[in-house]
Amino acid sequence: MTLPGAVPPPDDSTDAGVAWHYGDPFAEQRSAARSVVVVDRSNRGVIAIPGEDRLKWLHQLTSQHFEQLGEGTATEALILDAQGRLEHHMVVANVGGTVFLDVEKVDDLLTYLKRMVFWSKVEPRDATAEFALLTITGPETPTLLEKLGIPMPSDVAALGEGFVRRASWPGRDAVDLLVPRAELAGWWQRITDAGARPAGSYAFEALRVESLRARQGIDTDERTIPHEVGLIDPAVHLNKGCYRGQETVAKVHNVGRPPRRMLLLHLDGSADAQPETGDPVTLDGRVVGRVGTVALHHELGAIALALVKRSVPVEAELIAGAPEREVPARIDPDSVPADTPGLGREAVRNLRG
């Protein structure tokens, strides 16, 4: 969608097709923290699954308990391989007799879903050309929705052919709107006229990193299991029946020792270059992790998500980046899971005590 003032992303961006920013990405972030912004996320893929067997069928294929997913409810779900490694991450809404999945990429997931239909009464289809996603976030979101005549949902509510869905991030008050793609420009105008500041992917990605939310294919690699990137709580039902990869999920959950943890790194912002996705994280010359999303935050400065070996101490002096763009990095202690022995807030207290 082409909008007035929109600056397109760099050619190598993973967010082609949506605005990078609207002239001042740091002001956009501040507005998200203090008032309200709207972000065009219409580059997300959408899969629609109507059919009377949709919940039972998805229950058998995914990590989530779809049979408990009532009308007008939302969740997240994963499809894993036999070793429990992450293949697909989906944000879910069950509304109006259809399950909607918004995902990073449609093709491989849709191919897999269609292959698994067999005799089930479901009709998965690529609905990306039909629908587009907008995210509204900030403390003034409820007031904005009231101006638009949209009640703040407790979970998911129908919105014409699409829906409005309560989001768990970024910030306490955030919603996703799935709207007909043909009406996207009209919805954008209505939302901005009601007082939301336009914000681009530059700002949204910084807020996502601050929220410690992994993005598949950027903050994950071919070895990632859900425990490493904070996806157990939102996307895995630990008491449901058998699904592919469940044995690994249960074992690692019970033992509590995933090999890596996704952490927030504070980067040296004075450097001429910054690390890129996929670059190594090293400690004393030894590779101990992988850089995911790198962002510039309006308060935190240069930050990144990284998959780091569980044994790395919280006080470690790390280096992030390939040789030509190495920068010093340190772990944000508040990003370290509390169940990691020797790391996290307790370790910091011990160090300071």
Side-chain angles (χ1 to χ4, degrees), residues 25-257:
F26 296 117
E28 294 165 23
Q29 292 179 46
R30 288 192 291 271
S31 293
R34 301 170 186 173
S35 54
V36 62
V37 301
V38 58
V39 184
D40 177 10
R41 301 179 66 209
S42 59
N43 57 327
R44 290 279 290 177
V46 180
I47 295 175
I49 308 175
E52 62 183 84
D53 292 340
R54 66 191 185 281
L55 298 180
K56 179 180 178 181
W57 179 69
L58 286 165
H59 183 85
Q60 296 170 343
L61 298 179
T62 74
S63 61
Q64 194 53 268
H65 201 307
F66 273 88
E67 291 182 343
Q68 292 181 350
L69 197 68
E71 170 67 22
T73 54
T75 188
E76 299 177 36
L78 309 174
I79 290 178
L80 309 174
D81 70 9
Q83 286 72 46
R85 296 174 296 210
L86 180 64
E87 289 193 341
H88 301 286
H89 173 229
M90 303 158 279
V91 185
V92 180
N94 179 38
V95 61
T98 298
V99 170
F100 291 96
L101 312 175
D102 58 272
V103 297
E104 283 290 331
K105 296 180 180 179
V106 166
D107 293 347
D108 290 347
L109 175 56
L110 187 61
T111 297
Y112 171 75
L113 293 175
K114 286 185 173 180
R115 193 170 69 239
M116 300 303 292
V117 169
F118 301 115
W119 300 279
S120 298
K121 296 178 181 178
V122 291
E123 299 177 0
R125 72 178 190 276
D126 183 354
T128 308
E130 302 171 46
F131 296 100
L133 188 69
L134 298 171
T135 293
I136 300 172
T137 186
E140 295 179 10
T141 296
T143 301
L144 180 92
L145 292 182
E146 185 178 357
K147 291 180 181 178
L148 296 170
I150 302 172
M152 187 74 173
S154 58
D155 209 348
V156 180
L159 186 67
E161 299 175 54
F163 59 76
V164 55
R165 175 180 60 205
R166 191 73 176 257
S168 60
W169 66 276
R172 185 179 61 184
D173 294 304
V175 296
D176 294 327
L177 271 61
L178 191 78
V179 301
R181 190 167 289 271
E183 301 174 15
L184 179 58
W187 271 103
W188 183 268
Q189 192 64 50
R190 286 181 60 196
I191 293 167
T192 54
D193 285 350
R197 178 175 188 149
S201 61
Y202 188 121
F204 187 80
E205 287 295 274
L207 298 174
R208 180 178 63 79
V209 172
E210 179 189 19
S211 301
L212 295 174
R213 295 291 302 196
R215 186 169 174 183
Q216 185 181 343
I218 299 176
D219 302 302
T220 66
D221 58 18
E222 69 282 353
R223 297 185 292 119
T224 301
I225 59 175
H227 315 70
E228 297 178 326
V229 289
L231 286 175
I232 292 294
D233 286 344
V236 176
H237 193 289
L238 293 168
N239 297 319
K240 65 165 283 186
C242 184
Y243 58 92
R244 192 174 66 181
Q246 182 193 17
E247 183 176 352
T248 297
V249 168
K251 180 179 179 180
V252 177
H253 177 74
N254 290 330
V255 174
R257 293 179 178 271

